[in-house]
Every structure is written in C-alpha cells, then in structure tokens.
Amino acid sequence: MEMAKIGATPGGGCNRQTLTDVDREGRALFRRWCEEAGLTVGVDDMGTMFARRPGRNNELAPVATGSHLDTQPTGGKYDGVLGVLAGLEVVRTLNELGIVTERPIEVINWTNEEGCRFGPAMLASGVFAGTHPRDWALARKDAQGMTFGEALNGGGFAGEEKTGARKLHAYVELHIEQGPILEAEGCDIGVVTTGQGFRWFDVTLKGRDSHTGATPMGRRFDALLGASRIVEQVHQIALAHPNSVGTVGFMEVAPNSRNVIPGLVKFTVDFRHVDGDALAHMADQFMSGAQAIATAQGLEITIDPAGAQPPVHFNPEILNLIRTSADESGYKHRDIASGAGHDAFHIAKVAPSAMIFCPCVDGLSHNEAEEIFPEWAKAGADVLLQTLVTLARA
Ligand code: HGY
Ligand code: MN
Ligand code: MN
C-alpha cells in the first residue's frame, strides 16, 4: 500500500512507468526498506537492483527471487510489486527468526518488465539472460522518441555492474495470476509449469492525408481503414489458432483530425501461444495478410519485429519444491500455464527457475481495479519462503 501511493492514479491504480520520476521514487523506497533489513543493494547497467542477504558461505551463488516495480500506465498495485515485496518480506522473516541460509539470498527489481513505454516487455531481464544485446535495448524508443539509454542514463538509473555478470543458483518469482483460474477453483497457489511464447510487432501504415469531404471514396489512401482491417485480421488469426491470443493495444492516428483522411497510423501487434510452431505460423499469416491488405489499398506498410519470446518450461525440481511447500502449509494448489510474460521467462535460460502464482480478484490485471486478498499474498509469501530456504541450503 505504501508503494502503491507512488504513482497512484485517481482510479485507484498505479502509473509508475519505467525510468520515470515516480519509478525513481519507488526504487528509492524499495532501497530504503532493503537497507533497513540489512541488505546491500547492487545495481547493474540496465538499472536492475539486486538486494543481497549474506549467507554462511558467500562464495556460493545466491538463490534469487523478485519481480518488477514498474507498472502499466493504468496498472494495478500488485502486478510485479507483490513479487518484489514478498521477497523482502521473506528476508525480514528470516531476520526475525534468526535463520542464516547456507547460500546468500537476493531480492531483484528488474528494470522495464512491462515494456509499455519501451518495448519489448522484460527488457532488462532479457539483456541479463543474453536474449537481447544491451546496445539494442538502449536504442529502444518510447512514443516521444526518447531512447531507453537516454532515459536510463539521463535519469541516473544505471549502476556500475555489467548486466549478466551476476550468477544465480536458482530463481523463484511470485506473481499474481492475472487470470481467473485460481480464484474460480478456490486455489491458493498456482504452480507455474509453462509460459506462453510471444511475438510482438510495430506496424506503420502510410497513406495520404486528404479532405474527407472532397476526396471521392475511390481515390483515398486511408491508413486508418487499412489499420482497422489489420486489427480484425489479428483477431481472426488468434481465433483460428485455439488457445492463442492476438491483440492490437496501442495505436496512433495522424493527423487525427475529424475532417482529414488519416495518412499515417502506427500500431502494435501482440501474439501469444504456448506452442512455438503455432506461434510462428500466426506471425507468418499476419505478416503476409497485413501486406496484402496494404497493397489492396495502395498503402505503404512497414512491420518491425518488437520482441520475440519462445514458450518457457520451468524447472521440474523447483516446481516439486513449490508443490511440497504448498502441501506442507495446507494450501490448495494446481499446475497452471502463464498467459502473461514475466522476467522468469528469460532467467530460466541462465538459472533453474520457476514461478508461484497467487489468485487475483476476477482475474483482472493491467487495470486500476486489480485486487488481491491479504491471505492470498500470505500464502504466496509462505510458499516462496519455504521454497527459497530449501534451495538456499547448499
Ligand atoms: O506483457 C506481459 O505479458 C507482461 O505483463 N509485461
Ligand atoms: Mn508483471
Ligand atoms: Mn504487467
């Protein structure tokens, strides 16, 4: 609730987008809490924060947890934040109980998980895992044309450490489900076995600005009409591939004047599927279909890839630890696939990783009304603590 005051929106949510003044405020609060809990905070050159609790043997690679403090523009209080602060709560509890683990424990705040201001999502964890070259990440631009690197370095967010230099023994991330299944089935815990892959695109359609009154229907180059047909095409491709999703979430229309036929439209495409081959087929269908729509209307189209993530399968041993921890604490659990992307998807490439979900009300997320109950947060934190302590034994 304290963190949610930073970037609070009138609608009861949070707008704490990455590399903004409010992101800096949230990071400062997290750092203060970490230092009060005896943690030392390191920062890498993508701005990711690593809050470290020493173990008995600090030569050993740490067991890590965490998530992200950045939010959507009309985000909720819990997406990402739950995972970071539950990690901190685990540390505080170990402090209170006087428990020293063999391995160090680290609580991580990954920069730019959301990917709304600077696409793609999970940008910093992607650089950490070697998925994205750092230079490519630094060159990503927001809608105003500012690069990630300018916002990062201009805002004093970057640290000294080389991103990816830290080795992790294991990584476990707690996150709200952001879907309706756990609540509907009365489950306390989701054991996240897999995550959907995704393919993101940035599309630019160029037509010609002209007069809405004086330009006959047969002589128009209407970029918004073309974009509308492609929005429908994205929807139809997803419907034609069971268990997939397809969305156009961002669109800019220029000149956006009621009596000018739009000559320029920029928009984003987000396809996801748990099957990599089906996802590739969807992307191919989209690229050829969108080109055909543009050509039929005499529009110029550019389709730029804006991020790709293969489906992820988490570590079976850690998943069993999560199931055992839930059973021992008397929490009802079920295996579940993640629809949303998470930093753990990238970290799974460089360390044994897994995720724990807690339910959220009506499965709602990326919405100011996002809500969870304290007992759900407690169950998630309990299972996270048990899992981390077991992994940190040696
Ligand atoms: O896009 C995602 O899946 C994540 O919420 N950033
Ligand atoms: Mn998230
Ligand atoms: Mn999110």
Side-chain angles (χ1 to χ4, degrees), residues 63-64 103 169-173 189-193 314-331 333-335 352-357 379-394:
V63 169
R103 290 180 178 277
H169 174 65
Y171 178 75
V172 185
E173 179 169 353
I189 295 290
V191 183
V192 187
T193 53
F314 286 119
N315 178 278
E317 285 74 37
I318 303 179
L319 292 171
N320 280 330
L321 284 184
I322 294 168
R323 295 186 189 101
T324 308
S325 305
D327 287 336
E328 285 172 356
S329 303
Y331 294 126
H333 62 87
R334 58 108 81 199
D335 285 7
S353 300
M355 292 188 73
I356 302 165
F357 274 174
D382 281 348
V383 173
L384 181 67
L385 183 142
Q386 296 295 342
T387 306
L388 294 176
V389 167
T390 306
L391 286 166
R393 286 223 167 94

Side-chain angles (χ1 to χ4, degrees), residues 74-157:
T74 53
K77 303 184 184 73
Y78 308 97
D79 173 359
V81 180
L82 175 71
V84 177
L85 299 188
L88 178 57
E89 183 57 24
V90 165
V91 163
R92 286 171 173 163
T93 305
L94 297 180
N95 290 346
E96 284 157 15
L97 298 173
I99 292 176
V100 179
T101 51
E102 189 64 20
R103 290 180 178 277
I105 286 178
E106 292 189 359
V107 183
I108 301 173
N109 168 33
W110 298 105
T111 300
N112 190 29
E113 187 281 339
E114 288 296 352
C116 42
R117 182 182 175 196
F118 299 100
M122 297 95 82
L123 189 61
S125 52
V127 174
F128 183 92
T131 307
H132 308 308
R134 182 166 174 266
D135 290 348
W136 180 82
L138 294 182
R140 305 300 295 159
K141 288 186 175 172
D142 67 10
Q144 285 66 47
M146 179 178 275
T147 67
F148 181 90
E150 287 160 352
L152 179 80
N153 296 313
F157 293 96

Side-chain angles (χ1 to χ4, degrees), residues 52-60 100-105 392:
R52 185 180 174 92
R53 181 181 197 258
R56 234 188 307 281
N57 181 348
N58 292 302
E59 298 310 306
L60 295 173
V100 179
T101 51
E102 189 64 20
R103 290 180 178 277
I105 286 178

Side-chain angles (χ1 to χ4, degrees), residues 47-365:
T48 295
M49 301 169 79
F50 300 82
R52 185 180 174 92
R53 181 181 197 258
R56 234 188 307 281
N57 181 348
N58 292 302
E59 298 310 306
L60 295 173
V63 169
T65 185
S67 192
H68 60 94
L69 294 175
D70 68 309
T71 73
Q72 288 285 333
T74 53
K77 303 184 184 73
Y78 308 97
D79 173 359
V81 180
L82 175 71
V84 177
L85 299 188
L88 178 57
E89 183 57 24
V90 165
V91 163
R92 286 171 173 163
T93 305
L94 297 180
N95 290 346
E96 284 157 15
L97 298 173
I99 292 176
V100 179
T101 51
E102 189 64 20
R103 290 180 178 277
I105 286 178
E106 292 189 359
V107 183
I108 301 173
N109 168 33
W110 298 105
T111 300
N112 190 29
E113 187 281 339
E114 288 296 352
C116 42
R117 182 182 175 196
F118 299 100
M122 297 95 82
L123 189 61
S125 52
V127 174
F128 183 92
T131 307
H132 308 308
R134 182 166 174 266
D135 290 348
W136 180 82
L138 294 182
R140 305 300 295 159
K141 288 186 175 172
D142 67 10
Q144 285 66 47
M146 179 178 275
T147 67
F148 181 90
E150 287 160 352
L152 179 80
N153 296 313
F157 293 96
E160 300 304 312
E161 293 181 21
K162 179 166 172 24
T163 298
R166 279 181 185 252
K167 295 307 161 218
L168 306 179
H169 174 65
Y171 178 75
V172 185
E173 179 169 353
L174 170 64
H175 204 287
I176 57 172
E177 175 195 344
Q178 299 179 294
I181 296 170
L182 294 177
E183 183 188 42
E185 296 185 5
C187 286
D188 307 297
I189 295 290
V191 183
V192 187
T193 53
T194 56
Q196 285 193 114
F198 69 75
R199 294 283 296 270
W200 281 12
F201 299 94
D202 291 335
V203 183
T204 302
L205 268 180
K206 282 200 182 92
R208 186 168 66 189
D209 292 0
S210 52
H211 197 294
T212 53
T215 312
M217 294 308 280
R219 296 175 59 86
R220 295 173 169 220
F221 299 94
D222 183 341
L224 181 52
L225 178 61
S228 308
R229 287 175 173 158
I230 294 172
V231 170
E232 176 62 23
Q233 180 220 16
V234 165
H235 183 70
Q236 292 303 329
I237 289 171
L239 294 182
H241 292 77
N243 304 315
S244 81
V245 286
T247 320
V248 172
F250 170 92
M251 185 175 281
E252 272 182 337
V253 179
N256 220 17
S257 165
R258 66 180 68 241
N259 48 0
V260 176
I261 298 168
L264 178 69
V265 175
K266 292 184 179 178
F267 59 94
T268 60
V269 177
D270 175 343
F271 284 119
R272 312 209 188 184
H273 202 311
V274 73
D275 176 315
D277 294 340
L279 183 59
H281 186 246
M282 291 168 74
D284 293 344
Q285 269 197 329
F286 157 68
M287 286 185 277
S288 55
Q291 182 62 64
I293 288 169
T295 306
Q297 282 187 241
L299 302 172
E300 190 192 315
I301 186 168
T302 55
I303 301 176
D304 295 318
Q309 162 70 34
V312 68
H313 301 276
F314 286 119
N315 178 278
E317 285 74 37
I318 303 179
L319 292 171
N320 280 330
L321 284 184
I322 294 168
R323 295 186 189 101
T324 308
S325 305
D327 287 336
E328 285 172 356
S329 303
Y331 294 126
K332 185 180 173 199
H333 62 87
R334 58 108 81 199
D335 285 7
I336 192 168
S338 176
H342 301 286
D343 294 306
F345 286 27
H346 285 302
I347 305 312
K349 297 170 193 145
V350 293
S353 300
M355 292 188 73
I356 302 165
F357 274 174
C358 83
C360 53
V361 176
D362 292 338
L364 195 60
S365 182

